[in-house]
Amino acid sequence: MLSLAILGFLAEESMHAYELRRRISDLMGHSRPISDGALHPALTRLRASGLVERVGQTRGSGPPRQVMSLTDAGRTELLRRLAEPEETEITNGSSFFTLLAFLGRLPEGDQARVLRRRLDFLEAPASFFYRDGEPQRAEDVEDRYRRGMLLLARASSRAERAWLRETIAELES
Amino acid sequence: MLSLAILGFLAEESMHAYELRRRISDLMGHSRPISDGALHPALTRLRASGLVERVGQTRGSGPPRQVMSLTDAGRTELLRRLAEPEETEITNGSSFFTLLAFLGRLPEGDQARVLRRRLDFLEAPASFFYRDGEPQRAEDVEDRYRRGMLLLARASSRAERAWLRETIAELES
DNA sequence: GCTAGCATGTAAACGGTTACATGATTAG
DNA sequence: CTAATCATGTAACCGTTTACATGCTAGC
């Protein structure tokens, strides 16, 4: 998920690790900035796989500013990961949102295919708060907070489904 | 987060690790069941801290069925963690939802205090998609998917804030 | 002169996933 | 009889957090 965000942002333009960290934090919004202990090792792994390159701009003293860029292999890998997301990247809300942020880089047909996978998942009965095959009715949940969770989760799901249908329709027109 | 869910469910009743796993998966809904490699070590840690006890029901052969129960220390710790959640448990949506599932165990005054913390967080300008101190307008976001993310995140936030205000008002009446 | 923000990195500890290993019980 | 589900656990691997360590630059 972090590596996808790195590839995605570097596809837009080359930048320092520090700038990358700022953008990734902005994207996730809410939760606190990702740590250096996550970012730097992730970049090291991506460099080791040949997906990311870096060029040091030496300064008078101290460590040189390192500009990170995507290699051709990195660009290919980004498109592959966007076009053929793993099951958990469809299933897990925050992973899917990371994917969405860069989906515009794909050809429109591929975009629609990914959106449809997410829609199918959200429409599947197993997806949300079913009990014995029947959708659980909010009134049947005694606890106020469990009821609240159910209502909020359903409202989000409904809004996302509406947006997905609309966007798929736009892409197909 | 996993340990909180374990303490919360065991406060309702004693049960096997297997049943615990089923309930935790149901609670999180969408994403796949938590793995044994997460659950068993978590239970071992909770036992080591004296928060959970287990009693083996020996069977003819094979490993005995282990019934897990909360100790008094475990009950105290659960209430403490619910009443004084850490910043990330307020900030991170899915952590907060785990907390919510067991919030009803707290005295109502404490419940309201926790809900207000979450509401304050959601109302803070830093919370969602601000740009240079100004709320970012959806029309200004060129990319269709970034715009969608913004709209969906705002809709969820609005719904949750409404529910929080309503619930806090109910608790205070 | 100092503080906040810019900038890069390492190491230990922690917790989760995946894979492995085993066996009982229940329903078709 | 056999597949699915119930049931418990370990070990290797992986990525994240937290803490540590360093130094530049711009504004007050």
Side-chain angles (χ1 to χ4, degrees):
Chain A
M1 229 192 77
L2 179 52
S3 59
L4 183 64
I6 292 173
L7 295 176
F9 280 120
L10 289 182
E12 290 168 11
E13 61 185 299
S14 297
M15 64 189 86
H16 295 151
Y18 190 86
E19 172 66 12
L20 213 35
R21 172 157 145 265
R22 219 182 44 72
R23 296 206 192 184
I24 293 169
S25 301
D26 277 9
L27 188 69
M28 314 310 181
H30 56 321
S31 89
R32 59 197 49 230
I34 60 148
S35 58
D36 291 322
L39 180 60
H40 289 290
L43 282 167
T44 306
R45 289 190 295 272
L46 290 171
R47 278 195 302 123
S49 329
L51 305 177
V52 166
E53 262 174 354
R54 71 173 184 189
V55 182
Q57 299 168 323
T58 35
R59 294 177 299 165
S61 70
R65 299 292 144 86
Q66 304 281 3
V67 181
M68 308 288 166
S69 351
L70 269 198
T71 63
D72 289 342
R75 238 162 263 280
T76 307
E77 175 65 3
L78 172 62
L79 293 178
R80 196 198 58 75
R81 286 188 58 177
L82 291 173
E84 288 150 33
E86 296 190 2
E87 194 59 17
T88 53
E89 291 169 327
I90 296 294
T91 284
N92 177 282
S94 71
S95 296
F96 181 71
F97 268 48
T98 302
L99 214 151
L100 253 197
F102 306 105
L103 200 63
R105 309 214 137 252
L106 285 179
E108 293 205 343
D110 287 352
Q111 292 176 27
R113 202 161 41 75
V114 174
L115 297 180
R116 234 177 278 115
R117 271 185 72 187
R118 173 72 175 173
L119 184 56
D120 287 348
F121 164 71
L122 290 178
E123 281 172 344
S127 177
F128 262 118
F129 297 98
Y130 271 63
R131 196 85 156 189
D132 312 315
E134 290 286 304
Q136 202 172 359
R137 285 187 315 171
E139 312 91 67
D140 296 347
V141 181
E142 353 62 69
D143 181 84
R144 164 190 275 152
Y145 299 110
R146 304 269 169 110
R147 200 164 55 239
M149 291 166 71
L150 183 59
L151 291 170
L152 291 173
R154 287 224 171 109
S156 290
S157 176
R158 205 179 312 118
E160 190 181 338
R161 270 157 19 224
W163 176 81
L164 285 166
R165 285 194 205 95
E166 205 181 294
T167 307
I168 292 169
E170 275 174 40
L171 288 169
E172 282 169 348
S173 71
Chain B
M1 230 191 76
L2 178 54
S3 59
L4 184 64
I6 293 173
L7 295 175
F9 280 120
L10 289 182
E12 289 167 14
E13 62 185 300
S14 297
M15 64 188 86
H16 296 151
Y18 191 85
E19 172 66 12
L20 213 35
R21 173 157 146 268
R22 219 182 44 72
R23 296 206 193 185
I24 292 169
S25 300
D26 277 10
L27 188 69
M28 314 309 181
H30 55 325
S31 88
R32 57 199 51 230
I34 60 148
S35 57
D36 291 322
L39 180 59
H40 289 290
L43 282 168
T44 306
R45 288 190 296 270
L46 290 170
R47 280 196 300 123
S49 330
L51 305 178
V52 165
E53 263 173 356
R54 70 171 186 190
V55 182
Q57 298 169 324
T58 36
R59 293 177 300 166
S61 68
R65 297 291 142 91
Q66 303 282 358
V67 181
M68 308 289 166
S69 350
L70 269 198
T71 62
D72 289 342
R75 238 162 263 279
T76 306
E77 175 65 4
L78 172 62
L79 293 178
R80 196 197 59 74
R81 286 187 59 176
L82 291 173
E84 287 150 33
E86 295 189 4
E87 194 58 17
T88 53
E89 289 169 330
I90 295 294
T91 283
N92 178 282
S94 71
S95 297
F96 181 71
F97 267 49
T98 303
L99 214 152
L100 254 196
F102 305 106
L103 199 64
R105 310 216 134 249
L106 242 39
E108 293 206 343
D110 287 352
Q111 292 175 27
R113 203 160 42 73
V114 173
L115 297 180
R116 234 177 278 113
R117 271 184 72 188
R118 173 73 174 172
L119 184 57
D120 287 348
F121 163 72
L122 290 178
E123 282 173 340
S127 176
F128 261 118
F129 296 99
Y130 271 62
R131 195 84 156 191
D132 313 316
E134 291 284 304
Q136 202 172 359
R137 286 188 314 172
E139 313 91 65
D140 295 347
V141 181
E142 354 59 70
D143 181 84
R144 165 190 274 150
Y145 298 110
R146 303 272 169 108
R147 201 164 53 239
M149 291 166 70
L150 183 59
L151 291 170
L152 292 174
R154 286 226 171 108
S156 291
S157 177
R158 206 180 312 120
E160 190 182 338
R161 269 156 20 221
W163 176 81
L164 285 166
R165 286 195 205 97
E166 205 181 295
T167 308
I168 292 169
E170 275 174 40
L171 288 169
E172 282 170 350
S173 72

